Amino acid sequence: MMEGREDSDVIEQQVEDNTENSSRSLVSPAGGGRGPCSSSQRLLNYSDALISIIATVMILPVAHTKMEDDEQLRQSFQLLLTTKIAVYLMTFLIVTVAWAAHIRLFQVIVYVDDCLALLNLACMMIITFLPYTFSLMASFPDNGLGLLLFCGSVMIIGLIQSGIVLYAFSRPVLLSDQIQMSENRSSYKHHILKVIMRVPIMCFFASVISFVFFQLSYALLAVVVFLPYISQGVKWCRSKAIGHVDESPDAMLFSSFLPSEALSKERVEAFSDGVYAIVATLLILDICEDNVPDPTAVKKTFGGSLVAALQVYGPQYLAYFGSFATVGLLWFVHHSLFLHVTRTTRLMGLLNTFSLAFVGGLPLAYQLTQEFPRNSRNELEAVQISCVIVFFAGIFQLSIFVVALFSQQETLHPHVRHGGREHVFMLAKLALYPCVALTTFVLTCFLTKFSASIFHLMEVTVPLAFLVLRLSVRLGLAALRHVFCPEALGRQSVLEDVVEDNVPFNT
Amino acid sequence: MMEGREDSDVIEQQVEDNTENSSRSLVSPAGGGRGPCSSSQRLLNYSDALISIIATVMILPVAHTKMEDDEQLRQSFQLLLTTKIAVYLMTFLIVTVAWAAHIRLFQVIVYVDDCLALLNLACMMIITFLPYTFSLMASFPDNGLGLLLFCGSVMIIGLIQSGIVLYAFSRPVLLSDQIQMSENRSSYKHHILKVIMRVPIMCFFASVISFVFFQLSYALLAVVVFLPYISQGVKWCRSKAIGHVDESPDAMLFSSFLPSEALSKERVEAFSDGVYAIVATLLILDICEDNVPDPTAVKKTFGGSLVAALQVYGPQYLAYFGSFATVGLLWFVHHSLFLHVTRTTRLMGLLNTFSLAFVGGLPLAYQLTQEFPRNSRNELEAVQISCVIVFFAGIFQLSIFVVALFSQQETLHPHVRHGGREHVFMLAKLALYPCVALTTFVLTCFLTKFSASIFHLMEVTVPLAFLVLRLSVRLGLAALRHVFCPEALGRQSVLEDVVEDNVPFNT
């Protein structure tokens, strides 16, 4: 036992060392000279957590829309549900646009003091109010109030952010080192202010126009919110199609602070983690609240048998574990992917947003699959919708990787680039969910009777598939090699190199 | 514009550098040699996010308990509410105990590969189920099922964690460097396994006993869950009272892997951020779901006036902004405090947990203050409850700092220690909320008629108070100096040193 004790001491020492190191990296490197300001890391983590919760909040009204059995009401119900889903998707995109602006701002301001932290909290408070204003707009499209509230919120956010920029430039120690040392700091400040105030000013015009002509102001808002993404996407396609295009200063002014600046990888990860965590626990929130039976009801209806009372909720538990496992595994794939990403371009960020938006709908789809009687038409639809959602969530993750491969020198670690050691394995991981979802979808079209069984089978096999993925990729590659180039078995080919390094867990 | 462009290029370069640096720190330092394993940072962030959501989930049933106006029902209602609050607090503590165990485990295992990530997800899935089993136990104290489910979950968690330990020790590259290099790795493994399996084995006995004698197994569970904290607290008090006490190997075996090991500061921060973020947005979740009026109802009841329809919800918006601001500012104080903490002892972690548990109840208390008619007895009670909750949330934060000061050499940065530059300012920040809450509470006792106005005044003044805190601390100290030692004005005293370095924002 004495030996064990010595060990412990060594480890304790190391734990202390770690703490020391990390706390050193958290406060500003310049130390005392910067006085009461510090690295913005934790402020950004908290902001990311808030924004990820807010982005997914509008899925709750969708979740709690109860299906009517009445055929007559069904049409109006479907319209309501479609509206709610549209609101969810639009809110998700709008909030992520606000989040991207927040990232850009804090790539320029890298240290925070108390005043900045408080201003940022005020900004967050207004951002968390955006989904509600948007949902008012969707429920009352003919009433100007929702539009005015939305525009008002955006204008306040713009003013607070301008305040943040002015404050930070008045105390240059807060800025990133390169701006601090640059000579034309003030021209830089004006540029950033222009970019920040552009959206609020357009919102101001939209709110003025709304008193006269509604449709125009909605169109204006749509342009304002999504143009950066659209222009970025078009630019990327053009540059891939006809080679590198020189950025004009105008385009740069319009799209961002910096022409082709990357999103901060840590913040994309933190935001994604927040969304995955909220979505994974969405169903347990409902279960904890609604599915604890009432003691008197248990006595009356089930003769005091708690087991019988809980059996009623059985499908809900199944739905919870199924959706937690699926969301968890999608997070796992995302985690594996971003271990190998060195730089997140804006297009990759956009694809990530789309993937997350689909992940948000997943628990509800899973819940629906358990809600209907066996072999009903509704059950089949619910299973198929679940497959579609899983498919799109997975396919957008895959497309992040594909887009990253296009400019792999900048965006990927060497060992996952074309021909790199981990390349095949990464592709297999990313392709697993889309393939399984597609297969399940096709199978349920033919074997409608067994749709639920097929779906449950999928839920169980996928986690196992992830466990044996390394092994099966290795076997698959070996088989391919055996079929296509049996004479290469003795030589050291590229494929073999790939395979050898993919030994499940080299000892 | 050309000059601005050059600036941008410099910054872009820096952004790339940052990305490069951080990604380098995220993957294992040994690089290719470790093969497919990586630093566990993001896995831990995701786990922290999940656990913080789960810890606060049981506040929702409390939130949605509707107050009855009937006097007869009131007694049974209060009993129900008390039960729910007790369930919330106990769940919070139980989940944080599971979280502390998770921290300890991943202080030993510092790198993860795919298999470990999947095992950890499975473990998380069971942990998220704990609150529900506990809430069953509370609703049906005489039925063994809740207890059995709880014990079953704990046993499964124990088995999975043992699996994680066995797997990690079979591939030593995953372990922290010191254990990797140590010679008696296997004795270390046995020690950790013993510690991990202790709680599940006691749960096994509790579940066996539950078939015979209920009360005993509840007592056993209480001992199992809270003994580590109680023993740690007693030990700390004793060591402060009679000097340093030698740890016996038995005590070490019982309390933890390592006798007085610290909690990882980053994980305490990540967990706290998660709780603060969830709690801050708790009310907006309800608002987004319930407070969008129905278009037909607006036409019928309010003659189509949306503004009139929304005015009904006015108090809820106020409650939201009030609670967001309070939770945000408590986060801000927490953030300031942990900037100066270098090491989190277990006692500090426990106090942090208590503070967070009170923060969780805050939005509901704020919501209650807006729910009752003006000047009613209920309103007064709601305002006072809010003050009590804010007071305790703040006082536990303050006590973290006080406890840290007891062993300041290990736990605090030099400039916040006794007499350090930031010491007074930090104390003022931490004391602000408890003082304000206490003052408001006392005032409402005397001026019962104006309780709501006093409360709203507090909500508005506190954020302003934080903005001018540096200035007022400086003025306060100068006044003190002027009164008590006017002759020291010319000399360079310790106090002056403190004051000079506290200039709001040195240019």
Side-chain angles (χ1 to χ4, degrees), chain B residues 482-499:
Chain B
H482 194 73
V483 172
F484 289 108
C485 40
E487 78 284 353
L489 277 172
R491 288 186 283 124
Q492 186 74 15
S493 71
V494 178
L495 261 178
E496 194 169 11
D497 193 5
V498 171
V499 171

Side-chain angles (χ1 to χ4, degrees), chain A residues 3 10 16 19 22 36 42 64 114 128 132 178 184 266 273 289 291 317 320 334 342-343 429 470, chain B residues 3 10 16 19 22 36 42 64 114 128 132 178 184 273 289 291 317 320 334 342-343 429 470:
Chain A
E3 287 175 319
V10 173
E16 275 179 63
T19 320
S22 49
R42 207 183 146 195
H64 296 165
D114 288 359
T128 57
Y132 182 65
Q178 266 76 359
N184 43 8
E266 284 75 50
D273 283 350
E289 198 176 344
N291 294 9
Y317 307 144
Y320 170 64
H334 190 271
T342 53
R343 188 183 145 93
K429 255 187 198 173
R470 276 189 180 269
Chain B
E3 288 173 320
V10 173
E16 276 178 63
T19 319
S22 48
R42 208 184 146 194
H64 296 165
D114 288 359
T128 57
Y132 181 65
Q178 266 76 0
N184 44 6
D273 283 349
E289 197 176 344
N291 295 10
Y317 306 145
Y320 170 63
H334 190 272
T342 52
R343 188 183 145 95
K429 255 187 196 171
R470 276 188 182 269

